[in-house]
Amino acid sequence: MITSEWLYWLIGAFFIAVAVLIVTDTTHAKRLGNAAFWGILGLSFFYGTFVAAQTAPAWVLGVAVLVMVALAGLGFTGTTARNGAPSRTRVASIPGAGTGSETGPGAPTGVTTRPSTGGASTSVLATTTPDERATLASRFGNRLFVPALVVPVVAVLVATLGPLVSVGGQPLLAEGSATLTGLGIGSVLAVVVAVFILRPPKIATPIREGGRLLQAIGWAALLPQMLSTLGIVFTQAGVGDAVGTIIKSILPSGSLIAAVVVYCLGMALFTIIMGNAFAAFPIMTAAIGWPVLVQGFDGNPAAVFAIGMLAGFCGTLVTPMAANFNLVPAALLEMRDKYGPIKAQIPTAAILLVVNMGVMYLVAF
């Protein structure tokens, strides 16, 4: 039986490989801090298997998280190179993502220019120059989208057909692992397809380029995981019950439409505050989703919670707290306005939020 643990180990191995590449790059001004950050993260994925199996203490992971926070918060991570050489390095400066000056995170400035050592590549772990990437983009054209499309296609196929496959009377995939297994297989196949299409000169190119992008994003790459955990912590602390008490005191008795509006709007607002719908979900579900919409109005749980998550995603579109979705793309695309994606997405988010309210009211009860 295949579980999802192999995917966590593969992710951990990738982070460790990136850490090794960084620590061996003597031109990197922050190679020790970066290598420690991504190395600790990679080891945490391996160690987490034993924590889940209750064969190792969980407090070790807590200490690891605190060390990573210290490394990022004190400016030991980033993509700057050493001073004193003529060539220039273009570095995406992302608010709070670990980039900036060599003494710590700098002001959000979009894309800045920094000195690097002579003969170094145009950016940390980069395998091509910007001009070379532009030439290759023109050469390959729409074929560049093929690897990206492999991921969702394979993920859907495995998630749909995987649970139907049995070996020796036992299901091939462990219960609840089909989606993650499909995502993992799709990602691995996408890398294989990309290598086959692009024919990079070195087999390590995907890891080097993945590491370069990872450093450009910085610790913001971990926001979804951290914020979803934060939502669970808030729920355990009773925040959802407290919010539910307040909402029930002002919610009109017996009004389904009011309950739907408050739930969807609350999902969006909490997502804006916390930066992730997965963090807002346990709070709003404990406050109103389960006790009011499901138990009180006999709503369909699958429909209520699925549409509620979509309402939360409307908040994701309009918050800088979702840095990995909204600020990172602006930096990587070298946009003049770092809030450009958010401004462009506000009308869509507002319309979708209203639509989600209507769909929930019509189909979930």
Side-chain angles (χ1 to χ4, degrees):
M1 183 179 296
I2 300 175
T3 67
S4 57
E5 289 302 315
W6 72 271
L7 178 58
Y8 295 124
W9 284 50
L10 180 62
I11 295 172
F14 168 72
F15 287 135
I16 292 175
V18 170
V20 172
L21 289 175
I22 294 173
V23 80
T24 56
D25 181 8
T26 57
T27 67
H28 200 309
K30 298 183 178 181
R31 64 190 182 101
L32 296 180
N34 274 282
F37 183 89
W38 299 113
I40 291 173
L41 179 61
L43 291 174
S44 297
F45 276 83
F46 288 94
Y47 187 81
T49 297
F50 303 101
V51 173
Q54 298 183 350
T55 59
W59 63 264
V60 176
L61 287 179
V63 172
V65 171
L66 293 177
V67 172
M68 291 168 60
V69 169
L71 288 171
L74 296 177
F76 290 107
T77 61
T79 55
T80 55
R82 296 189 184 280
N83 293 323
S87 62
R88 312 294 287 181
T89 300
R90 295 177 68 78
V91 179
S93 180
I94 304 163
T99 59
S101 66
E102 292 188 13
T103 57
T109 56
V111 174
T112 57
T113 305
R114 305 196 186 282
S116 66
T117 56
S121 60
T122 55
S123 65
V124 178
L125 297 183
T127 58
T128 55
T129 65
D131 291 338
E132 288 172 339
R133 288 194 287 274
T135 300
L136 291 172
S138 299
R139 173 186 169 189
F140 290 102
N142 290 334
R143 281 182 290 172
L144 294 173
F145 292 99
V146 174
L149 294 175
V150 169
V151 178
V153 170
V154 174
V156 170
L157 288 176
V158 174
T160 303
L161 303 178
L164 304 179
V165 179
S166 298
V167 177
Q170 297 293 326
L172 178 63
L173 302 180
E175 184 178 358
S177 68
T179 301
L180 282 177
T181 300
L183 179 61
I185 295 175
S187 299
V188 172
L189 289 179
V191 173
V192 174
V193 171
V195 170
F196 179 78
I197 293 176
L198 302 177
R199 301 295 176 89
K202 295 182 179 180
I203 195 65
T205 296
I207 297 178
R208 296 187 66 87
E209 287 295 330
R212 179 177 65 86
L213 180 61
L214 196 62
Q215 287 192 86
I217 297 175
W219 64 261
L222 306 183
L223 276 177
Q225 183 180 1
M226 295 297 182
L227 291 175
S228 61
T229 304
L230 180 63
I232 298 175
V233 172
F234 276 18
T235 302
Q236 293 294 323
V239 175
D241 294 335
V243 173
T245 300
I246 296 174
I247 292 177
K248 290 175 185 177
S249 66
I250 61 176
L251 193 66
S253 179
S255 176
L256 174 59
I257 184 63
V260 169
V261 170
V262 170
Y263 179 59
C264 292
L265 187 61
M267 278 293 301
L269 291 178
F270 267 91
T271 300
I272 291 173
I273 295 171
M274 305 178 74
N276 192 293
F278 291 100
F281 180 76
I283 296 176
M284 288 306 301
T285 297
I288 187 173
W290 179 259
V292 177
L293 294 180
V294 175
Q295 292 185 321
F297 290 100
D298 196 26
N300 184 311
V304 170
F305 299 147
I307 299 171
M309 284 296 292
L310 292 176
F313 294 151
C314 295
T316 303
L317 294 174
V318 298
T319 175
M321 286 294 293
N324 52 325
F325 291 109
N326 298 327
L327 299 186
V328 169
L332 296 180
L333 295 174
E334 303 181 11
M335 297 178 63
R336 294 181 182 275
D337 184 359
K338 64 179 180 292
Y339 298 118
I342 292 177
K343 294 177 181 177
Q345 292 165 175
I346 289 176
T348 300
I351 294 172
L352 285 179
L353 181 58
V354 174
V355 170
N356 284 325
M357 293 176 183
V359 171
M360 181 181 293
Y361 180 77
L362 292 175
V363 307
F365 302 94

